Amino acid sequence: MLSSSVYPLANPKGVKLLCELCKKTAHYMCTQCRVTYYCDLEHQKADWIGIHEKICQLLIPLRTSIPFFSSEKERWHSQQQIVQRQKHMIDLTRTVAQKLLFEGKPDEAIPGALQSLRFATSVYGTTSAELVPSYLLLAEASIGLGQLQDAEEYLSQAQWTVMKTSECITGVEYKLYRNLGLLYSARGNYEKALWYLADDIYHASEVFGTEDIHTAGGYFHMANVFFGQGKMDIADSMYTEVVDIWHKHLSELVEAEMEKPKWKRMNAALEDPDPGMEDYKESLDVAQQAEAVQVLNAINNIRDQGFVPKHGRIGKVAHALAMLYYVIMDYRKVIDYGSQALEESKLLLNNDKEIESIENLLEMAHSALGYPGGQGPSPTAWVTSC
Amino acid sequence: MALTADIARGFYKNRSAYKPLVQTARVETVRTPAAKHGPKPSYENSMNARHLTRTNASQKIQGCQKPRKDSRRHAWVAEIPDDSHRHHILATDCTEAKYLIRVPNSCHGLDGLLEDKIRSKMNRVGGITASYRNSYKHNICLDMLREGYHRSFSELSALIHKLNAFREAEGPGSDIWQQKTLEEQHEKLDKLQCFLTRAEAAQRAGLYEEVYNSQLSLACYFKGTEDKLLSDYFFETCLKTTAMISSDERQKEAEANANLGLAYEEKGQLNKAVEHYEAFYQLSVEKPWQDEDGCSHYAQACENLWRIYTLLADKMLECDKRREAIKTLIKAFEIAKEGGDRKMEGLAAYRVALAYHANGDPQTAIKYLQMYLKVSELLNDDFGLSKAYEAMSKALVSVGNINEAIRYLEMFVEVAKRLSEKRSLVDACKSLGVIYNTLGRYDLACEYISQAYDIAITLSDLPLLEIVQVHFGIAKAHSMMTAVCRNIEAGKRVNLDRLVIWKNNRIDMFNEPITDAVDETFEDDASETAMEKK
């Protein structure tokens, strides 16, 4: 984070430099992009941590003035390009904000959410349904910060937009209901919270199917509500469902991962450098990873504390966690959870396939730790080391 | 951009006083933090002030532009309160119309399920306005989820999905296309909701028998409404559930297998049905289980297996796989013997015998037929006896034991008379007649066949009648053959006259003292009858 002072009085006439976060007169500038200004260093730091670090360089082409093009075609083309970039920024900022939210840092998520809302309004206008995800992020952050009043306002706005635009963007409605549910559960109104969460699950499963990781979030929150109400049996059954969904999804990912050539013999890797080495990123983006970590750890803790009888299901959570950490390449944790899962499964289940897959996973993790840096064979390191 | 600026201000300035959407009181909220901003050079303050007044102005303009939207939003927010009477009237959703119609129904004493439903809808009215906009299925799903029945929800979704996929696959014009989709059939959705949630609650409590019962009721319900797909699905889930029941020595598993077997039998998938029936049989061997009518499961299993084996054998016979058919029939016979139902045993034996007979092994057929005879005698089953006698006589004929065959046939005739079963009687008499015919005892043959003919006339079965007529003709011709031949051989005038007279009025007078002659055409007749005989 680098900054230099700017003096508002020294600005050219008609140019007002405003703080990126609060829109007050700016006194500082980010020297890396030279297009972002802040009223004080505190705001710059907040923005840097929240989102700016990721988008600093990307902002330059969007904020510098467009050169004049002489032909209509070129002008149109550059306009299109800007819109494309802005759309990309919307996606990026939303994902980052979402990830921070899942990591339990709502205050850090706000700059990203704000940026996304800003870009969305400039691309789609102020009344479009495309703004809804940003509102939802803001609402979620507000809930996280305990500002329920604000959260309700955002959600009302989002709900209104969703209702007005009948063919809403698919896969957004459920998020709206999830946030409404969270809002009410934060307020302690469990009846309404259940209502909205039910609606969340319904909409999510309409779009993604009942056994999708998108739907799992709804189940998880609902289970939390039931847990809060003291209905342990229902909560437990829902937690199990969540674990099952993630377990299934992660198993598929891990299987696909193990198929990849980087785990195969060296010459195979050399012949075929990296066909889609980063594939798994597509199937599990940053926010989803963070969600998985949050959800599965929460369930693991609940199970660990023994509010509900274990019934050997802790093994499955541990297995899912091990797979998750495998996918996000934290191999030490893989070994921790993997051995836990293995122990449980050997004790309580007689499912050979499960045990075998856990053993497989452990073996992979051990071999990955054997590589320099403990990060497994990255394609480049792999090639150079040989 | 102004909007986001507002929001940003909310977060980074005075959070408590901030309202994210347009408010006329914005001026103060902006000013206070600016004042708080601490000691700043005076020129900056003046900058701030200038700047602020501008933004205020722009916000005021904004405030003027927005109130329409704002008021709309407030109007909508005002819909949330629990006062629902207005919406009750406003509700135009078809489900609500349905609901309004259904209230009086409940007064006429519909079942409890419906009343529960209505009560839950009353709750819904007090809940959230959005439920009026939702479809019926949506609301049902919400109800289930709200109470935590997420498995029921996924099951219902999966079912609806499956049915729709099936519908799509069948395409327009098929039977299922004509029917309503499951989403539109509210009563079925109600039933599904009721029993699925009941099953899930029981499952949570670990009461798998209750789960089984709920699933079974659903299966039976859909069987009643002829939703084959659904009933099959629930019969299958029943079977899956039974794997979890440990307390009843797998009685439920046996029952589930029986049900599933029946379902497959009705669908015509005999091989699958056999699997399940066999499982049912295996499970119920030597168990004292009985159903409500006091019929033991074991006996039922045997009966089912016997029936399905017989059906399978029929199929095989159609495809001309005789050996396999005989094997299956023998299996059926063994099972029938175990089942303890003598009648079934007899019938099985009879089928085996027929198969053997058809396969050209009358000896074995006779063995089985004797068993059948014994059983029928024991049970005083005249009908069975008649069939046994008939088959026996046929088998004996093909062995060549004509005398025995005649004995059985006579018994057959007697039994048939006792039964006053006309068709059997016709058959019996005809067979006897034919046998006597081949034996050369034409008088007896004629007698029996004319009996058969008399009875056949009373039946309005033309083909049968024609057959009997032909046989009658053959027998008659044979019985007259010698007399006619004698006359022809004598070749005198008298004989010829006789033949002519006979030819003219068809009255048999050949046995009177003779002095007659023959007509040429008679030979043609004779040859014709001979051909018919063939």
Side-chain angles (χ1 to χ4, degrees):
Chain A
M1 185 182 106
L2 298 166
S3 62
S4 68
S5 302
V6 288
Y7 293 100
L9 281 179
N11 291 342
K13 197 174 182 185
V15 174
K16 279 184 257 346
L17 301 176
L18 302 177
C19 172
E20 186 78 3
L21 292 185
C22 64
K23 294 289 160 196
K24 277 196 311 188
T25 312
H27 298 278
Y28 295 95
M29 173 180 79
C30 170
T31 48
Q32 267 153 311
C33 56
R34 306 187 75 85
V35 290
T36 329
Y37 301 88
Y38 299 97
C39 61
D40 55 21
L41 290 175
E42 209 176 297
H43 278 187
Q44 188 184 3
K45 196 175 172 200
D47 194 27
W48 182 260
I49 294 169
I51 185 75
H52 193 69
E53 187 181 359
K54 314 240 171 19
I55 59 169
C56 185
Q57 296 304 310
L58 300 174
L59 284 172
I60 301 172
L62 288 172
R63 296 237 170 120
T64 45
S65 55
I66 318 156
F68 179 75
F69 294 110
S70 52
S71 83
E72 178 72 25
K73 199 179 164 191
E74 273 176 313
R75 281 196 291 273
W76 180 82
H77 185 72
S78 87
Q79 192 59 40
Q80 286 302 309
Q81 206 173 7
I82 286 179
V83 169
Q84 272 309 316
R85 282 198 175 133
Q86 282 178 328
K87 280 184 183 168
H88 172 67
M89 292 292 272
I90 295 174
D91 287 344
L92 180 69
T93 46
R94 274 179 193 162
T95 315
V96 170
Q98 190 69 62
K99 183 192 165 212
L100 287 167
L101 282 175
F102 278 126
E103 285 170 0
K105 302 168 187 162
D107 47 338
E108 290 178 17
I110 285 169
L114 275 178
Q115 278 297 358
S116 77
L117 186 59
R118 237 170 253 159
F119 286 119
T121 26
S122 77
V123 176
Y124 302 106
T126 45
T127 52
S128 164
E130 298 282 348
L131 266 57
V132 172
S134 297
Y135 281 127
L136 295 179
L137 287 173
L138 284 169
E140 210 176 326
S142 307
I143 295 173
L145 292 171
Q147 299 165 12
L148 301 183
Q149 193 64 36
D150 290 354
E152 189 173 6
E153 298 269 4
Y154 293 126
L155 289 173
S156 306
Q157 181 72 32
Q159 201 174 12
W160 173 243
T161 316
V162 165
M163 215 160 33
K164 285 302 280 181
T165 47
S166 50
E167 71 279 28
C168 189
I169 340 150
T170 48
V172 165
E173 227 176 337
Y174 80 94
K175 283 190 185 158
L176 166 66
Y177 289 115
R178 184 168 303 175
N179 280 306
L180 279 167
L182 288 177
L183 170 70
Y184 282 108
S185 76
R187 283 198 174 154
N189 186 345
Y190 287 134
E191 263 314 295
K192 271 196 170 170
L194 286 178
W195 249 108
Y196 282 116
L197 288 172
D199 229 348
D200 159 29
I201 296 174
Y202 177 80
H203 281 102
S205 52
E206 285 286 283
V207 181
F208 301 104
T210 44
E211 284 168 18
D212 191 273
I213 50 168
H214 292 93
T215 323
Y219 283 130
F220 176 68
H221 293 307
M222 214 169 185
N224 284 341
V225 173
F226 281 119
F227 191 73
Q229 282 182 326
K231 293 177 182 167
M232 293 303 166
D233 52 340
I234 302 179
D236 187 47
S237 134
M238 284 197 161
Y239 282 135
T240 314
E241 174 88 20
V242 175
V243 173
D244 285 347
I245 292 172
W246 277 107
H247 187 273
K248 190 167 151 256
H249 189 76
L250 288 167
S251 315
E252 280 165 16
L253 281 182
V254 167
E255 247 165 55
E257 181 77 2
M258 285 184 179
E259 290 298 304
K260 284 182 186 163
K262 82 168 167 182
W263 295 109
K264 301 244 169 87
R265 294 196 67 82
M266 181 186 68
N267 27 6
L270 282 177
E271 278 164 21
D272 191 9
D274 61 354
M277 211 46 137
E278 304 296 306
D279 262 359
Y280 71 92
K281 289 245 162 92
E282 285 167 25
S283 43
L284 204 65
D285 68 24
V286 190
Q288 282 169 341
Q289 282 176 15
E291 184 184 2
V293 171
Q294 185 214 1
V295 166
L296 291 175
N297 275 319
I299 295 176
N300 193 25
N301 287 340
I302 290 167
R303 291 267 159 91
D304 248 355
Q305 286 160 8
F307 286 122
V308 281
K310 285 185 184 173
H311 285 316
R313 276 170 300 189
I314 197 144
K316 203 159 191 184
V317 188
H319 186 193
L321 271 167
M323 287 193 288
L324 173 65
Y325 283 118
Y326 180 82
V327 169
I328 55 184
M329 294 171 128
D330 188 342
Y331 296 109
R332 290 192 191 286
K333 287 198 174 164
V334 176
I335 291 170
D336 282 357
Y337 285 112
S339 27
Q340 203 179 331
L342 193 63
E343 209 175 289
E344 288 281 337
S345 322
K346 276 189 177 160
L347 257 173
L348 293 157
L349 302 166
N350 293 318
N351 189 345
D352 290 336
K353 210 180 152 200
E354 179 108 359
I355 291 174
E356 193 196 317
S357 83
I358 298 173
E359 277 170 349
N360 222 342
L361 196 68
L362 276 174
E363 193 184 315
M364 289 292 185
H366 277 297
S367 70
L369 276 176
Y371 289 101
Q375 286 297 308
S378 77
T380 47
W382 199 203
V383 174
T384 48
S385 71
C386 315
Chain B
M1 290 307 265
L3 191 64
T4 53
D6 289 343
I7 291 168
R9 250 182 228 116
F11 275 109
Y12 289 99
K13 286 190 171 171
N14 189 351
R15 277 177 184 161
S16 58
Y18 171 71
K19 293 283 170 289
L21 290 163
V22 188
Q23 304 226 333
T24 41
R26 180 70 38 75
V27 184
E28 283 84 31
T29 55
V30 178
R31 196 165 281 154
T32 32
K36 270 191 217 162
H37 212 273
K40 290 253 171 180
S42 59
Y43 65 85
E44 261 197 13
N45 264 347
S46 68
M47 267 297 287
N48 266 349
R50 208 175 64 189
H51 176 66
L52 277 175
T53 43
R54 284 207 188 155
T55 39
N56 287 349
S58 73
Q59 273 163 2
K60 269 175 197 159
I61 295 164
Q62 201 182 48
C64 297
Q65 284 169 343
K66 290 232 171 165
R68 239 185 70 229
K69 185 181 176 187
D70 214 10
S71 65
R72 271 192 307 186
R73 197 172 67 79
H74 281 297
W76 170 73
V77 170
E79 278 181 21
I80 293 183
D82 288 352
D83 149 49
S84 56
H85 298 295
R86 196 163 54 86
H87 308 296
H88 202 101
I89 301 156
L90 286 175
T92 48
D93 193 307
C94 60
T95 58
E96 234 26 65
K98 195 97 181 170
Y99 156 52
L100 289 174
I101 295 162
R102 276 165 65 171
V103 175
N105 276 354
S106 75
C107 304
H108 299 302
L110 270 178
D111 57 348
L113 173 69
L114 263 182
E115 279 172 24
D116 278 355
K117 214 58 222 158
I118 287 157
R119 212 167 300 126
S120 82
K121 281 206 178 143
M122 295 294 196
N123 290 337
R124 197 178 288 151
V125 172
I128 282 168
T129 335
S131 65
Y132 294 105
R133 284 188 292 268
N134 297 340
S135 67
Y136 195 84
K137 172 199 156 204
H138 190 155
N139 280 337
I140 289 252
C141 291
L142 288 192
D143 272 357
M144 290 200 286
L145 281 169
R146 217 153 44 95
E147 284 147 31
Y149 296 114
H150 62 99
R151 276 192 205 149
S152 314
F153 163 71
S154 13
E155 204 165 348
L156 181 65
S157 309
L159 271 180
I160 289 175
H161 195 75
K162 194 170 143 192
L163 280 187
N164 284 348
F166 183 72
R167 219 173 123 95
E168 289 297 322
E170 291 289 292
S174 57
D175 284 349
I176 195 158
W177 196 267
Q178 310 293 332
Q179 293 164 17
K180 281 190 196 166
T181 54
L182 189 57
E183 283 111 311
E184 291 160 13
Q185 303 183 48
H186 296 172
E187 200 177 318
K188 286 181 189 171
L189 284 178
D190 285 349
K191 276 262 192 284
L192 275 168
Q193 184 200 6
C194 170
F195 285 109
L196 282 177
T197 49
R198 202 179 284 176
E200 196 180 343
Q203 194 176 3
R204 255 188 236 140
L207 303 169
Y208 286 101
E209 284 180 39
E210 182 61 34
V211 179
Y212 173 81
N213 287 338
S214 304
Q215 285 166 341
L216 189 64
S217 350
L218 269 180
C220 294
Y221 170 73
F222 284 115
K223 202 171 179 187
T225 55
E226 301 201 334
D227 288 283
K228 288 268 181 269
L229 277 173
L230 286 173
S231 66
D232 290 353
Y233 171 80
F234 283 110
F235 278 129
E236 268 168 45
T237 49
C238 277
L239 182 60
K240 276 179 206 152
T241 310
T242 53
M244 310 293 289
I245 304 176
S246 49
S247 58
D248 64 346
E249 297 177 322
R250 305 171 81 186
Q251 181 182 359
K252 291 271 192 272
E253 189 178 342
E255 286 171 19
N257 267 312
N259 286 332
L260 204 53
L262 190 66
Y264 277 121
E265 189 185 335
E266 278 167 9
K267 260 203 289 189
Q269 298 181 1
L270 295 183
N271 287 323
K272 279 205 167 177
V274 165
E275 271 172 39
H276 289 292
Y277 279 140
E278 274 170 359
F280 178 37
Y281 169 77
Q282 298 289 355
L283 286 170
S284 57
V285 170
E286 291 172 3
K287 294 276 166 57
W289 304 327
Q290 288 186 339
D291 65 4
E292 292 140 9
D293 306 330
C295 190
S296 93
H297 278 98
Y298 180 60
Q300 266 185 342
C302 292
E303 192 187 328
N304 283 332
L305 262 182
W306 163 70
R307 191 180 59 239
I308 205 85
Y309 280 143
T310 317
L311 282 173
L312 263 179
D314 283 345
K315 271 256 168 78
M316 289 172 182
L317 284 176
E318 269 173 34
C319 312
D320 215 31
K321 294 180 201 157
R322 292 209 184 144
R323 294 205 166 277
E324 283 152 57
I326 287 175
K327 263 186 209 159
T328 325
L329 282 171
I330 289 174
K331 261 203 235 170
F333 174 65
E334 297 294 329
I335 289 289
K337 247 205 307 206
E338 279 184 44
D341 183 347
R342 300 309 299 263
K343 190 170 177 184
M344 190 163 79
E345 185 188 334
L347 280 175
Y350 176 62
R351 286 299 312 264
V352 178
L354 285 190
Y356 269 121
H357 186 61
N359 204 25
D361 186 357
Q363 296 288 358
T364 329
I366 288 168
K367 240 194 278 167
Y368 279 99
L369 280 174
Q370 271 160 355
M371 287 183 227
Y372 186 33
L373 264 179
K374 242 184 255 166
V375 170
S376 303
E377 272 164 17
L378 252 170
L379 294 174
N380 265 337
D381 177 7
D382 283 347
F383 188 69
L385 271 177
S386 69
K387 284 211 290 191
Y389 288 144
E390 186 185 10
M392 192 66 143
S393 62
K394 275 183 192 157
L396 285 168
V397 168
S398 39
V399 177
N401 195 344
I402 304 291
N403 289 334
E404 277 292 288
I406 289 174
R407 199 168 64 80
Y408 278 111
L409 274 175
E410 274 163 358
M411 284 197 272
F412 180 26
V413 171
E414 261 170 48
V415 172
K417 271 180 190 160
R418 214 168 41 230
L419 277 175
S420 64
E421 179 68 38
K422 286 183 181 173
R423 203 166 280 269
S424 316
L425 197 55
V426 172
D427 281 347
C429 293
K430 192 190 78 188
S431 313
L432 256 179
V434 171
I435 287 176
Y436 278 127
N437 188 18
T438 48
L439 286 177
R441 301 190 55 187
Y442 303 122
D443 46 343
L444 275 173
C446 272
E447 190 184 307
Y448 277 113
I449 289 183
S450 75
Q451 263 184 36
Y453 182 69
D454 289 342
I455 303 160
I457 286 174
T458 60
L459 297 169
S460 52
D461 183 353
L462 200 59
L464 183 72
L465 191 61
E466 280 169 356
I467 290 168
V468 178
Q469 274 173 347
V470 170
H471 280 296
F472 191 40
I474 295 167
K476 199 79 187 162
H478 278 145
S479 68
M480 286 171 61
M481 189 77 126
T482 40
V484 173
C485 286
R486 218 172 38 241
N487 276 307
I488 293 168
E489 276 163 9
K492 292 177 186 166
R493 172 69 193 244
V494 195
N495 302 75
L496 287 177
D497 279 349
R498 268 234 177 128
L499 282 169
V500 171
I501 292 164
W502 171 75
K503 203 65 181 158
N504 279 337
N505 49 24
R506 302 271 167 170
I507 296 167
D508 181 10
M509 302 184 304
F510 291 116
N511 295 335
E512 288 168 21
I514 33 150
T515 43
D516 282 331
V518 192
D519 189 315
E520 286 256 308
T521 46
F522 176 72
E523 276 169 358
D524 295 347
D525 265 17
S527 62
E528 267 170 37
T529 43
M531 275 179 52
E532 276 170 12
K533 187 182 147 197
K534 271 179 194 169

